[in-house]
Short mmCIF file of all heavy atoms in Angstrom, two decimals:
data_model
loop_
_atom_site.label_atom_id
_atom_site.label_comp_id
_atom_site.label_asym_id
_atom_site.label_seq_id
_atom_site.Cartn_x
_atom_site.Cartn_y
_atom_site.Cartn_z
N LEU A 357 -1.78 -9.60 -5.09
CA LEU A 357 -3.10 -10.18 -5.31
C LEU A 357 -3.40 -11.14 -4.18
O LEU A 357 -2.53 -11.90 -3.76
CB LEU A 357 -3.12 -10.95 -6.63
CG LEU A 357 -3.07 -10.15 -7.91
CD1 LEU A 357 -2.92 -11.09 -9.11
CD2 LEU A 357 -4.30 -9.30 -8.05
N PHE A 358 -4.66 -11.15 -3.73
CA PHE A 358 -5.03 -11.95 -2.58
C PHE A 358 -6.39 -12.61 -2.77
O PHE A 358 -7.23 -12.10 -3.50
CB PHE A 358 -5.06 -11.07 -1.32
CG PHE A 358 -3.76 -10.36 -1.09
CD1 PHE A 358 -3.52 -9.13 -1.66
CD2 PHE A 358 -2.75 -10.97 -0.36
CE1 PHE A 358 -2.30 -8.49 -1.49
CE2 PHE A 358 -1.53 -10.34 -0.19
CZ PHE A 358 -1.31 -9.10 -0.75
N VAL A 359 -6.59 -13.72 -2.08
CA VAL A 359 -7.85 -14.46 -2.14
C VAL A 359 -8.91 -13.78 -1.29
O VAL A 359 -10.09 -13.75 -1.64
CB VAL A 359 -7.65 -15.92 -1.69
CG1 VAL A 359 -8.97 -16.65 -1.60
CG2 VAL A 359 -6.69 -16.63 -2.63
N SER A 360 -8.49 -13.18 -0.17
CA SER A 360 -9.46 -12.57 0.73
C SER A 360 -9.11 -11.12 1.05
O SER A 360 -7.95 -10.70 0.94
CB SER A 360 -9.55 -13.36 2.04
OG SER A 360 -8.38 -13.16 2.82
N ARG A 361 -10.13 -10.40 1.47
CA ARG A 361 -9.93 -9.01 1.89
C ARG A 361 -9.02 -8.96 3.11
O ARG A 361 -8.16 -8.08 3.23
CB ARG A 361 -11.27 -8.37 2.21
CG ARG A 361 -11.17 -6.93 2.66
CD ARG A 361 -12.54 -6.37 3.08
NE ARG A 361 -12.42 -5.01 3.54
CZ ARG A 361 -12.07 -4.65 4.79
NH1 ARG A 361 -11.81 -5.58 5.70
NH2 ARG A 361 -11.98 -3.39 5.12
N ALA A 362 -9.20 -9.90 4.03
CA ALA A 362 -8.39 -9.94 5.25
C ALA A 362 -6.90 -10.07 4.92
O ALA A 362 -6.06 -9.39 5.54
CB ALA A 362 -8.84 -11.08 6.15
N GLN A 363 -6.56 -10.92 3.95
CA GLN A 363 -5.16 -11.08 3.56
C GLN A 363 -4.61 -9.80 2.94
O GLN A 363 -3.49 -9.39 3.22
CB GLN A 363 -5.01 -12.23 2.57
CG GLN A 363 -5.24 -13.59 3.16
CD GLN A 363 -5.27 -14.67 2.09
OE1 GLN A 363 -5.63 -14.42 0.94
NE2 GLN A 363 -4.90 -15.88 2.48
N ALA A 364 -5.41 -9.18 2.07
CA ALA A 364 -4.99 -7.93 1.42
C ALA A 364 -4.78 -6.83 2.44
O ALA A 364 -3.80 -6.07 2.38
CB ALA A 364 -6.01 -7.52 0.38
N LEU A 365 -5.69 -6.73 3.41
CA LEU A 365 -5.59 -5.71 4.45
C LEU A 365 -4.37 -5.94 5.34
O LEU A 365 -3.64 -5.00 5.67
CB LEU A 365 -6.86 -5.69 5.28
CG LEU A 365 -6.98 -4.61 6.34
CD1 LEU A 365 -6.84 -3.23 5.73
CD2 LEU A 365 -8.30 -4.76 7.07
N LYS A 366 -4.12 -7.17 5.70
CA LYS A 366 -2.95 -7.50 6.53
C LYS A 366 -1.65 -7.11 5.81
O LYS A 366 -0.75 -6.52 6.40
CB LYS A 366 -2.95 -9.00 6.85
CG LYS A 366 -1.84 -9.44 7.75
CD LYS A 366 -1.95 -10.91 8.08
CE LYS A 366 -0.82 -11.37 8.96
NZ LYS A 366 -0.91 -12.78 9.31
N TYR A 367 -1.57 -7.42 4.52
CA TYR A 367 -0.40 -7.06 3.71
C TYR A 367 -0.24 -5.53 3.65
O TYR A 367 0.85 -5.01 3.85
CB TYR A 367 -0.57 -7.64 2.30
CG TYR A 367 0.47 -7.17 1.32
CD1 TYR A 367 1.73 -7.76 1.28
CD2 TYR A 367 0.19 -6.17 0.39
CE1 TYR A 367 2.68 -7.35 0.36
CE2 TYR A 367 1.13 -5.75 -0.53
CZ TYR A 367 2.38 -6.35 -0.54
OH TYR A 367 3.32 -5.93 -1.44
N ALA A 368 -1.34 -4.84 3.38
CA ALA A 368 -1.30 -3.38 3.26
C ALA A 368 -0.82 -2.74 4.56
O ALA A 368 0.02 -1.84 4.54
CB ALA A 368 -2.67 -2.85 2.87
N LEU A 369 -1.33 -3.21 5.68
CA LEU A 369 -0.90 -2.68 6.97
C LEU A 369 0.57 -2.96 7.24
O LEU A 369 1.29 -2.10 7.76
CB LEU A 369 -1.77 -3.27 8.10
CG LEU A 369 -3.17 -2.70 8.19
CD1 LEU A 369 -4.03 -3.56 9.12
CD2 LEU A 369 -3.14 -1.25 8.66
N PHE A 370 1.02 -4.14 6.88
CA PHE A 370 2.43 -4.49 7.07
C PHE A 370 3.33 -3.59 6.23
O PHE A 370 4.32 -3.05 6.71
CB PHE A 370 2.66 -5.96 6.71
CG PHE A 370 4.11 -6.35 6.71
CD1 PHE A 370 4.81 -6.52 7.90
CD2 PHE A 370 4.79 -6.53 5.51
CE1 PHE A 370 6.16 -6.87 7.90
CE2 PHE A 370 6.13 -6.88 5.50
CZ PHE A 370 6.82 -7.05 6.70
N LYS A 371 2.96 -3.40 4.97
CA LYS A 371 3.79 -2.64 4.05
C LYS A 371 3.78 -1.14 4.31
O LYS A 371 4.75 -0.45 3.96
CB LYS A 371 3.38 -2.91 2.60
CG LYS A 371 3.65 -4.33 2.14
CD LYS A 371 5.12 -4.67 2.15
CE LYS A 371 5.82 -4.13 0.93
NZ LYS A 371 7.21 -4.56 0.82
N ASN A 372 2.70 -0.60 4.89
CA ASN A 372 2.68 0.84 5.13
C ASN A 372 2.96 1.21 6.59
O ASN A 372 2.71 2.33 7.01
CB ASN A 372 1.39 1.48 4.61
CG ASN A 372 0.23 1.41 5.58
OD1 ASN A 372 0.26 0.70 6.59
ND2 ASN A 372 -0.82 2.13 5.27
#
Side-chain angles (χ1 to χ4, degrees):
L357 289 173
F358 304 89
V359 173
S360 72
R361 180 184 178 277
Q363 291 172 331
L365 184 58
K366 183 177 179 179
Y367 172 81
L369 285 167
F370 173 74
K371 293 297 279 186
N372 84 348

